[in-house]
């Protein structure tokens, strides 16, 4: 077992290396996390960030998003409200962060349209990335860039460090699951996605991606359950909606 001083030094060295390695690529988009797993496809997830804020080409659903600080959003926010949702709430405080997420999940589940849901989803997904640790947050941006550069081994090394530093970070486990899937490690991907959901049962992207992965592995009932849980939290995940409708027909429309 590695002694803590050596482990700490290794993590510090990894952080320094990440900063240096990406100093020339700061213009890269920082949202590799907003990727969606298509049922039946084991390749790298595709981005779900669309100009209209959609979850898929046809869906017009909310993208991943910005951060939330300030008072809870109104029941029918518009796109211009998203910067006001987060305001100055101290998301580094775990209790404040948890309370804000609880409120936002409630707002998202009750949104009347994709347009209303968009700023809320963006705020939630920004909050997922606000761990309260500058080190962890920086490392997560490095993961995004390494995934975009197809350097999955380095992305995994950084995610290993993040999950050691912050083992209750649901988004880090979600991202780790995605990278494992991109490396064709289905078993570990399943374990990591389930770990993310155990930490945050309302993490609708982890639920959605778990559904897609279970569907790929032939567990249709499990996939249907995961999709439905994702849609309870975020009713505007179009890929999950389409998959849920098909699986409902396939699984519940016949005796198996």
């Amino acid at each position: 077992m590695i002694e803590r001083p050596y482990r700490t030094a290794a993590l510090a060295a990894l952080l320094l290396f990440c900063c240096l390695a990406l100093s020339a690529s700061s213009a890269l988009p920082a949202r590799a996390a907003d990727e969606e797993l298509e049922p039946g496809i084991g390749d790298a997830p595709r981005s779900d960030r669309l100009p209209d804020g959609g979850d898929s080409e046809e869906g017009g659903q909310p993208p991943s998003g910005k951060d939330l600080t300030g008072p809870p959003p109104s029941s029918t926010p518009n796109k211009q409200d998203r910067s006001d949702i987060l305001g100055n709430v101290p998301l580094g405080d775990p209790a404040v962060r948890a309370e804000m997420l609880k409120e936002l999940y409630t707002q998202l589940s009750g949104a009347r349209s994709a347009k209303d849901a968009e700023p809320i989803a963006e705020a939630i997904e920004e909050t997922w990335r606000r761990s309260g640790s500058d080190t962890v947050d920086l490392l997560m941006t490095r993961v995004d860039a390494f995934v975009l550069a197809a350097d999955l081994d380095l992305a995994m090394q950084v995610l290993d460090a993040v999950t050691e530093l912050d083992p209750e970070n649901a988004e880090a486990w979600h991202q780790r699951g995605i990278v494992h899937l991109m490396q064709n490690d289905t078993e570990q991907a399943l374990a990591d996605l389930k770990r993310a959901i155990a930490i945050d049962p309302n993490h609708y992207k982890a639920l959605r991606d778990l559904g897609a992965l279970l569907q790929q592995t032939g567990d249709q009932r499990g996939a249907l359950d995961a999709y439905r849980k994702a849609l309870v939290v975020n009713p505007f995940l179009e890929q999950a909606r389409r998959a849920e409708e098909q699986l409902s027909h396939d699984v519940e429309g016949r005796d198996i």
Side-chain angles (χ1 to χ4, degrees), residues 68-73 85-86 89-107 124 127 200 202:
L68 37 143
T69 37
I85 294 176
L86 287 176
V89 170
L91 295 177
D93 183 326
V96 172
R97 183 175 178 275
E99 190 60 31
M100 179 62 75
L101 275 174
K102 179 181 178 181
E103 173 65 25
L104 287 167
Y105 285 137
T106 299
Q107 294 285 345
I124 288 170
T127 303
D200 182 358
N202 291 312

Side-chain angles (χ1 to χ4, degrees), residues 6-254:
Y6 295 99
R7 184 169 62 229
T8 302
L11 292 174
L14 178 58
L15 174 59
L16 178 60
F17 174 74
C18 291
C19 295
L20 294 174
L22 292 187
S23 61
S25 51
S26 59
L28 283 172
R31 283 293 171 192
D34 305 332
E35 294 172 335
E36 179 173 322
L37 308 180
E38 286 286 2
I41 300 175
D43 298 331
R46 59 180 174 80
S47 173
D48 60 4
R49 292 298 301 272
L50 298 179
D52 66 353
D55 170 67
S56 70
E57 297 88 353
E58 305 136 0
Q61 307 307 327
S64 67
K66 303 305 173 191
D67 158 292
L68 37 143
T69 37
S74 64
S75 60
T76 56
N78 57 43
K79 190 170 183 178
Q80 286 69 42
D81 293 324
R82 63 183 170 217
S83 62
D84 299 330
I85 294 176
L86 287 176
N88 297 310
V89 170
L91 295 177
D93 183 326
V96 172
R97 183 175 178 275
E99 190 60 31
M100 179 62 75
L101 275 174
K102 179 181 178 181
E103 173 65 25
L104 287 167
Y105 285 137
T106 299
Q107 294 285 345
L108 181 59
S109 66
R112 294 198 295 262
S113 69
K115 181 179 179 181
D116 291 344
E118 179 182 351
I120 306 172
E122 289 187 340
I124 288 170
E125 290 161 27
E126 180 67 17
T127 303
W128 289 345
R129 290 302 189 102
R130 299 283 285 276
S131 68
S133 164
D134 291 340
T135 298
V136 168
D137 294 350
L138 176 60
L139 287 173
M140 288 297 288
T141 66
R142 295 328 189 203
V143 171
D144 294 336
F146 288 136
V147 171
L148 288 171
D151 194 340
L152 301 183
D153 289 340
L154 191 50
M156 185 58 69
Q157 289 179 42
V158 178
L159 284 165
D160 286 344
V162 171
T163 52
E164 182 175 345
L165 287 167
D166 187 7
E168 296 303 304
N169 188 322
E171 179 60 11
W173 289 104
H174 173 224
Q175 289 301 308
R176 196 169 181 265
I178 289 174
V179 174
H180 272 303
L181 183 62
M182 295 170 74
Q183 294 177 320
N184 298 314
D185 189 344
T186 301
E187 182 177 354
Q188 191 58 58
L190 280 170
D192 287 348
L193 291 173
K194 289 178 179 179
R195 178 73 176 267
I197 295 163
I199 295 168
D200 182 358
N202 291 312
H203 196 301
Y204 52 85
K205 284 194 171 181
L207 286 163
R208 176 202 64 192
D209 293 343
L210 177 63
L213 186 51
L214 290 172
Q215 190 172 0
Q216 290 175 220
T217 60
D219 184 357
Q220 293 189 321
R221 286 193 180 276
L224 181 59
D225 181 63
Y227 284 134
R228 285 176 172 171
K229 288 178 179 177
L231 289 166
V232 167
V233 185
N234 186 348
F236 303 99
L237 293 170
E238 182 61 22
Q239 179 261 325
R241 174 68 63 194
R242 294 194 307 267
E244 189 273 337
E245 290 173 354
Q246 182 61 49
L247 284 171
S248 294
H249 177 269
D250 292 346
V251 173
E252 297 177 340
R254 57 185 170 84

